[in-house]
Amino acid sequence: MTAVRRWSVVVAGTLLLVAAIAGVHRLPAAESDVGAAELLRQVRGAEDHSWSGYIETEGALQLPDTDGFSDVGALFGERTTMRAWWHDGQHWRVAQLLLAGETDLIHRGDTTLRWDYERFDATLSRDPAIRLPRTADLVPPVLAARLLRGVDVDDVERIPAKRTAGVSAPGLRLVPPSDLSSIDHADVWLDPGSGVPLRVEVHADGADSPAFTSQFREFSSARPSTDEVSFEPPPGVEVGFDDVLDIADAANQYASVRPPDRVAGLERAASSDQAVGVYGRGMTEMIAIPIRDREADPLREQLAQTAGVDRSAERTAVSVGPLGVVLTGAAGEGGWLLAGTLTREALDRAADDVLADSVFLGDR
């Protein structure tokens, strides 16, 4: 066989292999007769299961990209790709893939290290009881676990299977148990072997298409190795330490206020016993953060540039998809930042309750 013929065979074989792989992903999903209650049990039982894979997220939420508030603002409204290795809840690594490199979160115990490849920077921080979202919160298993909080068997129903990451994944629809939620429903498709969620779609009330989708493109239920969830800084890189993770953590450490125990009919979570209040859970959840004027003013101006903003002398409000944001106060003042998956009416009620019933604790 000549070299040309040999290479022709190799090329043809490669093309056939690629076509076969692509064909698997295009095959229709096989239906499953497993009921909703059993799927709910499976997905909850898989919360501690190991996994790894390639993930894409895509959403229709267009939030201002405000430094210091979270890295999630940059994720909504565009497609984001991640590689993730989940050994267990205490050991994992999630890498957001960028054109010029990647930004990794490496979690171990109660600390998380952030490695910015482009800036050649490594920063370690502790994990506070309350913080703003980050990229690792948007992978399908973590997002699904959060949405499932407070959901009972009466709040779920079967939906058709969907082929995801080459797997015929049975589907489960979650309906919020509270009418205060701005989420109409969330759909979860899970790996039939492990119960790990492979795809999550969040649908806002009244919307025809999902506001946010997170899905595996490649998935393995095998346990990642220790090396895959570890990080050794390259030569010349010194690991710094950040003792304030974000504005929620800063407010909890330094703000001299205490939010009320109940807002808009929702109880404050027991874990939020300082300046930041977390109310509700699952698909009906809200955070209330006291912020100073130097953080409130730039955020107020950026929110004002968002489509659909509702601005008055007392507050600035934006609702995009299921996410609602209210910032109280006027220019030159501080305020309370409220954000979550509550209806606009419920967020306004919550803002009124926070302003009326918060307690000043004196200088800290």
Side-chain angles (χ1 to χ4, degrees):
M1 183 180 291
T2 66
V4 172
R5 290 187 63 190
R6 282 197 299 271
W7 278 111
S8 297
V9 171
V10 171
V11 170
T14 302
L15 290 175
L16 286 172
L17 178 61
V18 171
I21 294 172
V24 168
H25 286 272
R26 286 196 297 266
L27 286 173
E31 273 303 341
S32 166
D33 58 1
V34 179
E38 175 61 17
L39 285 184
L40 180 61
R41 187 194 67 79
Q42 289 180 17
V43 72
R44 282 194 163 136
E47 288 188 8
D48 295 326
H49 201 289
S50 301
W51 52 265
S52 63
Y54 174 78
I55 297 160
E56 285 186 356
T57 69
E58 189 167 7
L61 304 182
Q62 299 286 347
L63 291 182
D65 186 7
T66 307
D67 291 340
F69 284 84
S70 78
D71 56 357
V72 173
L75 301 181
F76 294 138
E78 63 183 43
R79 180 170 295 175
T80 300
T81 58
M82 293 177 270
R83 266 322 276 195
W85 301 264
W86 205 270
H87 199 279
D88 54 44
Q90 299 301 309
H91 303 84
W92 49 260
R93 179 172 183 162
V94 176
Q96 182 182 355
L97 307 180
L98 308 170
L99 291 177
E102 64 185 62
T103 300
D104 292 30
L105 295 175
I106 303 98
H107 181 78
R108 183 173 184 178
D110 59 355
T111 62
T112 300
L113 186 141
R114 182 185 180 94
W115 163 240
D116 190 322
Y117 175 86
E118 188 175 3
R119 297 180 181 179
F120 219 57
D121 177 74
T123 305
L124 184 69
S125 62
R126 60 179 179 80
D127 282 343
I130 297 174
R131 57 170 175 77
L132 293 181
R134 57 192 177 192
T135 52
D137 297 314
L138 301 180
V139 298
V142 177
L143 179 58
R146 187 181 191 92
L147 294 171
L148 280 164
R149 295 174 189 169
V151 170
D152 201 353
V153 66
D154 293 333
D155 306 313
V156 298
E157 61 185 69
R158 276 299 315 268
I159 55 175
K162 181 171 288 190
R163 185 165 290 278
T164 303
V167 174
S168 291
L172 188 66
R173 175 157 296 175
L174 320 178
V175 179
S178 171
D179 59 5
L180 298 179
S181 179
S182 56
I183 295 177
D184 182 79
H185 64 273
D187 293 338
V188 178
W189 289 268
L190 54 141
D191 175 43
S194 64
V196 174
L198 300 180
R199 180 184 176 100
V200 179
E201 294 182 357
V202 180
H203 293 251
D205 193 19
D208 295 328
S209 58
F212 186 76
T213 300
S214 178
Q215 63 180 320
F216 281 97
R217 291 299 188 184
E218 297 174 5
F219 171 77
S220 171
S221 60
R223 190 180 184 88
S225 68
T226 301
D227 289 343
E228 288 173 314
V229 296
S230 302
F231 173 79
E232 287 293 334
V237 173
E238 293 188 7
V239 178
F241 184 79
D242 193 347
D243 58 358
V244 177
L245 184 62
D246 54 37
I247 62 161
D249 185 29
N252 258 343
Q253 292 190 51
Y254 303 115
S256 302
V257 293
R258 178 70 56 83
D261 292 335
R262 187 179 179 89
V263 300
L266 298 173
E267 299 288 340
R268 181 160 55 90
S271 60
S272 57
D273 59 353
Q274 295 175 276
V276 177
V278 177
Y279 300 88
R281 58 179 177 166
M283 290 182 281
T284 312
E285 191 170 34
M286 186 206 77
I287 189 170
I289 308 170
I291 56 177
R292 300 168 298 183
D293 54 355
R294 68 184 186 186
E295 286 99 15
D297 283 347
L299 176 60
R300 195 173 284 117
E301 290 305 312
Q302 291 192 48
L303 288 173
Q305 301 170 23
T306 305
V309 64
D310 185 0
R311 196 175 192 186
S312 68
E314 294 80 22
R315 65 188 57 170
T316 304
V318 174
S319 294
V320 265
L323 180 64
V325 178
V326 170
L327 178 58
T328 68
E333 301 177 352
W336 282 89
L337 174 65
L338 290 82
T341 52
L342 302 188
T343 64
R344 174 59 194 280
E345 180 184 1
L347 271 177
D348 281 336
R349 286 172 52 199
D352 292 340
D353 291 342
V354 167
L355 291 173
D357 299 330
S358 295
V359 178
F360 179 66
L361 302 177
D363 294 332
R364 294 178 66 177

